[in-house]
């Protein structure tokens, strides 16, 4: 298992040298950010990214994300062109040593929160989600600022896009996902790259848009769309964990051997569809971090893990969810869990 840390490239306030000083972190998870969604990433940009990481003593084996163009999710005739570009990106990344690609298939919006700076009793602040607030938002008219969102949409562009999705229900989205996977997975398999779809965050439909990577049954269905070791999931404990019906160990069992990448963070469920992000250790939220990691390691997991969103602590200001300090604490916590689990397994064997 390798512990990694997300880095947003040269525009990130956090430097590679800072990341390198976090104990037990061996690599960076990053992407090319200067190219519009759907185009082919230049070899120069890829080589530069990998070179920068390596020069700082860090690996660059995981890309998050290679985003999927909306036309693919909508199943438009132009999807073919974007799928071809996607396949080319897989080939180019593999050539530069990338082994795992994380992506998602959420229409229009990526991860969504209703408040980006909720103060917590300890003086830190965190991202939170209140379903009622979200229901009251109209993405086509309100001034939305969402953490994981493509800011490049104009109001008109967004309205038009939402309109296009009116004819895409869950079943249509499943079909479009299958079409995408049938083209992309054989390329990934040939190139030795593992694809890990990220679950929808939160794992329920929002703004009338379908979301399908939401829980155990749907993940089972997803894995059977193309039954290949290259077709896997990114097990994100925080995304899946906010739905009470999701049992993370059960999901890990269903996806056994098909989990190349894990996002480990904790959340506290505060209402039927409400939650707040917390510090990583199990005692702060609803996710049993030990149980999830133990289950993965018992099943022979040997992929990549990263701490996920952190709170803002010690007065840090920065990219929501992606400051340095709390994520670094998360990484060392994961390293501690890992050491404990591995050593007790060895003891058991004696
Ligand atoms: C949020 C992330 C997501 C993730 C994408 C993967 O912090 O987990 O934005 O990168 O959904 O495509």
């Amino acid at each position: 298992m390798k512990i990694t840390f997300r880095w947003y490239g040269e525009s990130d306030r956090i430097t590679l040298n800072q990341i390198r000083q976090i104990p037990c972190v061996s690599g960076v998870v990053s992407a090319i950010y200067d190219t519009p969604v759907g185009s082919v990433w230049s070899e120069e940009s890829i080589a530069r990214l990998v070179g920068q990481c390596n020069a700082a003593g860090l690996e660059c084996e995981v890309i998050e994300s290679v985003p999927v163009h909306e036309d693919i999710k909508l199943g438009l005739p132009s999807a073919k062109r974007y799928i071809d570009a996607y396949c080319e990106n897989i080939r180019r990344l593999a050539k530069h040593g990338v082994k795992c690609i994380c992506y998602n298939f959420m229409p229009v919006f990526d991860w969504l929160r209703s408040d980006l700076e909720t103060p917590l009793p300890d003086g830190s602040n965190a991202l939170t989600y209140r379903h009622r607030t979200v229901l009251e938002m109209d993405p086509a008219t309100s001034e939305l600022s969402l953490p994981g969102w493509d800011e490049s949409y104009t109001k008109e562009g967004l309205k038009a896009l939402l309109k296009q999705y009116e004819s895409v229900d869950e079943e249509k989205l499943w079909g479009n996902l299958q079409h995408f996977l049938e083209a992309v997975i054989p390329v990934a398999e040939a190139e030795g790259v593992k694809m890990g779809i990220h679950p929808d965050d939160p794992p329920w439909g929002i703004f009338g848009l379908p979301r399908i990577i939401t829980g155990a049954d749907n993940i089972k269905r997803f894995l059977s769309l193309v039954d290949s070791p290259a077709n896997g999931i990114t097990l994100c404990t925080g995304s899946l964990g906010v739905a009470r019906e999701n049992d993370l160990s059960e999901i890990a069992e269903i996806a056994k051997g098909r989990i190349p990448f894990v996002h480990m963070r904790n959340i506290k469920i505060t209402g039927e569809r409400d939650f707040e992000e917390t510090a990583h250790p199990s005692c702060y939220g609803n996710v049993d971090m030990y149980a999830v990691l133990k289950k993965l390691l018992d099943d022979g997991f040997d992929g990549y893990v990263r701490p996920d969103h952190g709170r803002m602590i010690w007065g840090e200001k920065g990219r929501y969810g992606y400051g340095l300090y709390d994520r670094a604490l998360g990484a060392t916590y994961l390293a501690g869990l890992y050491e404990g689990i591995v050593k007790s397994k060895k003891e058991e064997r004696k």
Side-chain angles (χ1 to χ4, degrees), residues 116-128:
L116 308 178
E117 290 183 318
T118 305
L120 301 184
D122 64 4
S124 61
N125 65 65
L127 294 142
T128 56

Side-chain angles (χ1 to χ4, degrees), residues 3-5 19-28 57-58 307 328 331-332 335:
I3 302 180
T4 56
F5 201 84
I19 296 173
R20 176 194 203 172
Q21 290 168 7
I22 306 169
C24 305
V25 167
S26 59
V28 154
L58 292 159
T332 48

Side-chain angles (χ1 to χ4, degrees), residues 27-154:
V28 154
V29 171
S30 192
I32 301 299
Y33 296 100
D34 62 6
T35 313
V37 174
S39 7
V40 176
W41 293 356
S42 77
E43 292 245 18
E44 296 71 41
S45 302
I46 299 170
R48 185 175 155 84
L49 171 66
V50 175
Q52 281 172 324
C53 296
N54 293 167
L58 292 159
E59 292 173 343
C60 183
E61 297 182 338
V62 185
I63 294 296
E64 178 180 352
S65 307
V66 180
V68 178
H69 195 277
E70 295 299 329
D71 288 12
I72 299 176
K73 295 179 238 173
L74 284 161
L76 300 181
S78 47
K80 179 169 183 336
R81 169 158 51 95
Y82 293 117
I83 291 177
D84 289 346
Y86 205 100
C87 292
E88 181 57 18
N89 278 332
I90 297 174
R91 287 186 206 99
R92 291 187 179 192
L93 289 166
K95 193 168 147 197
H96 291 272
V98 168
K99 308 231 172 343
C100 174
I101 294 175
C102 173
Y103 67 102
N104 73 70
F105 216 75
M106 288 177 253
V108 192
F109 302 100
D110 194 315
W111 58 303
L112 183 90
R113 300 290 180 269
S114 55
D115 188 353
L116 308 178
E117 290 183 318
T118 305
L120 301 184
D122 64 4
S124 61
N125 65 65
L127 294 142
T128 56
Y129 180 94
R130 218 173 127 252
H131 199 51
R132 244 192 46 217
T133 311
V134 173
L135 289 180
E136 284 159 7
M137 292 177 179
D138 177 358
T141 54
S142 55
E143 291 300 329
L144 279 184
S145 173
L146 305 171
W149 196 33
D150 182 347
E151 297 286 346
S152 65
Y153 289 128
T154 60

